[in-house]
Amino acid sequence: MSDIFDTMRTVIPYAPLKLAALEGCRDFASTVNNYLVSYRHENPTHDITNPAFKGYSEDNYLLSCSCPRFGTGEGKGILHSSVRGTDLYILADITNYSLTYKVCGYTNHMSPDNHFQDIKRIISATNGKAKRINVIMPFLYEGRQHKRTGRESLDCALSLQELADMGVSNIITFDAHDPRVQNAVPLIGFDSFMPTYQFLKALVASTPDLQFDPAHLMVVSPDEGAMSRAVYFSTILGVDMGMFYKRRDYSTVVNGRNPIVAHEFLGDSVAGKDVIIVDDMISSGESMLDVAKQLKNRHAKRVFVCTTFGLFTDGFEKFDEYYEKGYIDRIVTTNLTYRDPVIYEKPYYAEADMASYMASIIDALNHDISIERIASPTEKIQKLLRKIR
């Protein structure tokens, strides 16, 4: 990171930094804010006494904002302080279903649609006064609806175009389901970051006896869509890779999708090896658990699941059962999205902390410098592996 700080010293920040965190991610945003304050106080890259760098080193970058609602469920966005001339970063967790609001006396849980609408409300409340607007959605809104099969909507592309039309300059996300959705907005910034390094840190911390060599470890992709993640992971670790592919029943639709008939495996034997399954999310977990079971049936030693987003839409009952039966040994997810607090009581859970990484991304973008070194974790992973070995 030292070379990045050296680069920052040679450039002037784009504008004074402000963070507008929507209610669904304020705890995480507070941690990110603390890292930014720490970076700029303990290792400042600029002379904070110079008037040209006013607003660079602050005790708090968080902007007070809210999205109250009327009795009908309609809402509005409010900024409680000025954003004139600032480099504004709007943080939102569109998966946080724990938030509720009243509609004619009834209680509704916030859906991704509600969260996305609140993002637009905050953008509208800036009244065009911010110098630049950046939106950080760790879980990309409608990212799973990224392509058309038959007469279907293209929700993700439309939402990105809507943000671009509202004046957003950069969209920052993590492990996008399909990064090619950025083709819908080719003239604005779109960055999808990967938590590979944070996964490894969490695995090493939670499982100190993990051996990173081809004789003891293998990386597996649970389907064709996660291949690129698994290829990178296995290559950087220097171990073999395998892949499952899904056979679906396209004659029926269950809960909006074609049910999986079976998982077929391609790759070398996993017998006696620890296996890391890499994917972008756990939704219901049905397919992930089936893959873990099949790996254990093929005599894998231990199964570790690394996913960027742990949504657990059907709860933890099945995961508890599979852990007790020995099908899974560890599940690692990031803290980028809301998770039911009960997850911290699970013996198989480990968290990959992303707050420091997020702060580094924001700091670099605020200086308008290349983020290639931040986006690529290769150097940090190699350093970690050398330390382990």
Side-chain angles (χ1 to χ4, degrees), residues 85-377:
T86 63
D87 190 18
L88 180 63
Y89 291 79
I90 301 172
L91 284 72
D93 175 12
I94 62 129
T95 68
N96 192 336
Y97 61 88
S98 69
L99 303 180
T100 60
Y101 62 96
K102 293 285 188 178
V103 180
C104 300
Y106 295 94
T107 299
N108 273 16
H109 284 263
M110 291 278 284
S111 72
D113 292 342
N114 297 137
H115 287 294
F116 185 69
Q117 195 67 24
D118 281 350
I119 293 173
K120 294 191 292 181
R121 289 180 175 120
I122 293 299
I123 295 172
S124 174
T126 65
N127 200 23
K129 298 300 189 294
K131 189 172 183 181
R132 184 172 67 177
I133 298 175
N134 314 271
V135 170
I136 301 178
M137 278 189 288
F139 188 95
L140 187 63
Y141 175 68
E142 291 290 1
R144 300 168 78 180
Q145 187 54 26
H146 61 285
K147 62 183 179 181
R148 176 174 283 155
T149 303
R151 300 180 184 89
E152 291 184 346
S153 57
L154 288 173
D155 298 56
C156 189
L158 288 172
S159 67
L160 295 178
Q161 290 176 351
E162 196 168 3
L163 292 178
D165 291 341
M166 294 186 75
V168 172
S169 299
N170 293 297
I171 296 171
I172 298 100
T173 190
F174 286 79
D175 202 353
H177 196 67
D178 189 340
R180 289 175 295 184
V181 295
Q182 66 185 289
N183 293 334
V185 285
L187 299 182
I188 71 169
F190 182 98
D191 292 288
S192 177
F193 295 91
M194 301 296 292
T196 315
Y197 173 65
Q198 287 75 17
F199 282 161
L200 282 177
K201 282 183 65 178
L203 279 174
V204 170
S206 61
T207 316
D209 64 338
L210 200 59
Q211 294 178 271
F212 295 92
D213 61 72
H216 298 92
L217 185 66
M218 190 169 178
V219 175
V220 168
S221 171
D223 54 37
E224 309 93 305
M227 271 289 291
S228 59
R229 301 179 186 90
V231 167
Y232 177 78
F233 217 125
S234 61
T235 302
I236 198 68
L237 295 179
V239 300
D240 294 330
M241 191 202 81
M243 183 195 80
F244 282 89
Y245 66 92
K246 299 173 182 176
R247 285 199 294 114
R248 294 182 179 272
D249 180 4
Y250 289 98
S251 65
T252 59
V253 176
V254 178
N255 292 330
R257 60 181 180 173
N258 304 110
I260 298 168
V261 177
H263 286 93
E264 305 292 349
F265 183 68
L266 298 174
D268 293 334
S269 172
V270 299
K273 296 181 180 180
D274 291 328
V275 178
I276 300 175
I277 306 174
V278 186
D279 206 357
D280 61 336
M281 73 179 75
I282 291 177
S283 184
S284 66
E286 174 189 343
S287 59
M288 185 69 74
L289 291 173
D290 186 47
V291 165
K293 182 179 180 180
Q294 291 208 36
L295 287 170
K296 292 296 286 188
N297 290 341
R298 288 174 167 82
H299 308 294
K301 182 182 177 184
R302 293 179 295 186
V303 176
F304 304 94
V305 178
C306 292
T307 62
T308 308
F309 307 109
L311 306 179
F312 301 100
T313 56
D314 287 353
F316 300 101
E317 184 178 348
K318 200 72 174 178
F319 291 91
D320 294 342
E321 176 190 340
Y322 272 53
Y323 174 72
E324 290 167 5
K325 290 182 177 179
Y327 294 138
I328 56 173
D329 292 84
R330 186 81 64 213
I331 294 178
V332 180
T333 70
T334 71
N335 57 345
L336 290 168
T337 53
Y338 173 79
R339 287 137 297 132
D340 190 323
V342 74
I343 197 172
Y344 295 106
E345 302 170 7
K346 305 300 179 182
Y348 50 80
Y349 177 70
E351 183 174 274
D353 185 14
M354 301 294 290
S356 176
Y357 189 30
M358 177 81 82
S360 298
I361 293 168
I362 294 172
D363 201 14
L365 287 173
N366 180 237
H367 282 79
D368 233 8
I369 63 173
S370 171
I371 56 174
E372 183 178 354
R373 293 294 297 276
I374 297 177
S376 174

